[in-house]
Amino acid sequence: MAEIDARTLGERIREARKRADLSQEDLGRAIGLDRTVVNKIEGGIRKVTALELSDIATATRVRMSTFFEDPVPALVAHRSSQGLDTADSQIDALLAKHSNDVEFVDSLKVAELGLDASEIVSKADIRQPSTNAETEALAVQARELMTLPAEEPITNLSSAVSKVGLLAFSRDVGKDTADAGTILLRRGGVTLVNSNMKVGRRRLALAHELGHYLIADAYTVDWRIASHSDDTVPLESRLDRFARALLLPESTVRRHWQEKVDQVGERNAAILLASKFRIDMSTLATRLKELKLADSQAVASVRNYRTTQADIIELNLYVPLEELEGTTVPRPFARAVLRLARDERISRERALDLLQYTVDETDLPHTRERRPDEIWKFVS
């Protein structure tokens, strides 16, 4: 934990207050101080006591230690470009928290975190795709980096992206906000997916964020993934296509689409393909269109097909666990936190906080009882 001066501490308090959507008057009321005192604390003119800082942390819903941790460089650059007066979005604040949590765990050098895998991406020397052909090639390369078969479904995408050092969290942040965001860390990266969306769109959003990560975009927050046009945001459009190509490989679709249509009809072919590759009908329809495998009428029909319970039974569809549903933490991160808790390098309370309370206190590893001689050695 770094030592910081009053001015830096004041700036971090100010940022936390703004992310919590509090005015100086609101914060002052919450902690029992006048607005002018809050203003002086944020300006570094008046020192803040430990008790006051604890109250500020509670009011702004951050851990007290956050004020003493150096923020991720990409986050600093992002906020500097916007100016400190710009209030951050909720997803931005969550990304900041997850990034700090991952950096904290990484600083304790836990092998289970697996961020060494990010070196694979650095060595690959990936560049931004500027054509559709380059975009399709990037999707093929991404599967190779994640050691995935070229044509098989990616059944657990959040696990797959961790193989290249990207840790994917999810949280329901509501309907009218961003789909996902990504931030590069000193090693690896962190993505947050809005789990308010249905599973097909969540997976598409994570695949899109993987694209940002591979081409080393330092900080991105994406709205309405898969709705960009080439004319407005060409890179985003390319990454939308990358996401579709990653989840639904070109070679697979070209080989099987018409064959399935001839065998079971267009609707059942669409349901079988979408179910097998865990994508939504809109993604499949767009994929068929961009690969020129269906006319406009068929594309419109596919977009409107819906899978029913009867389809699941009659077509014997496999229904896996809903990936990225609700609040989730990436498995390597969870394993690393449990390792730290088991080795008593962090408290059980800190472990629960890092795991976003996705486990109960009773689920944490039991700590062994100390022998009397160990206790005596510790206190002597």
Side-chain angles (χ1 to χ4, degrees), residues 5-117:
D5 58 29
R7 185 170 178 275
T8 302
L9 178 58
E11 288 175 352
R12 291 179 183 175
I13 291 172
R14 187 184 187 201
E15 286 185 66
R17 173 179 62 77
K18 285 182 171 292
R19 287 199 300 276
D21 196 23
L22 295 173
S23 66
Q24 288 184 337
E25 189 168 359
D26 293 335
L27 180 59
R29 191 180 304 115
I31 63 176
L33 293 176
D34 189 78
R35 184 197 66 78
T36 57
V37 177
V38 174
N39 186 53
K40 288 179 180 177
I41 290 173
E42 291 184 353
I45 299 170
R46 177 190 181 282
K47 288 188 177 180
V48 59
T49 68
L51 283 177
E52 288 168 347
L53 192 59
S54 175
D55 289 342
I56 291 170
T58 301
T60 54
R61 300 186 296 279
V62 300
R63 290 195 316 274
M64 197 165 155
S65 60
T66 303
F67 297 122
F68 300 97
E69 294 168 347
D70 290 331
V72 179
L75 196 60
V76 175
H78 163 70
R79 289 183 178 155
S80 297
S81 68
Q82 296 187 45
L84 285 177
D85 289 335
T86 301
D88 297 317
S89 67
Q90 185 182 0
I91 205 164
D92 176 280
L94 286 169
L95 265 175
K97 172 176 169 40
H98 294 323
S99 302
N100 287 330
D101 287 349
V102 171
E103 292 256 291
F104 165 71
V105 173
D106 191 33
S107 71
L108 298 177
K109 303 187 185 309
V110 193
E112 284 86 346
L113 191 57
L115 292 186
D116 288 343

Side-chain angles (χ1 to χ4, degrees), residues 363-379:
D363 293 327
L364 293 178
H366 293 291
T367 53
R368 67 184 177 87
E369 292 186 9
R370 301 290 182 189
R371 299 190 308 272
D373 63 305
E374 289 180 302
I375 298 173
W376 173 249
K377 184 178 179 181
F378 176 76
V379 299

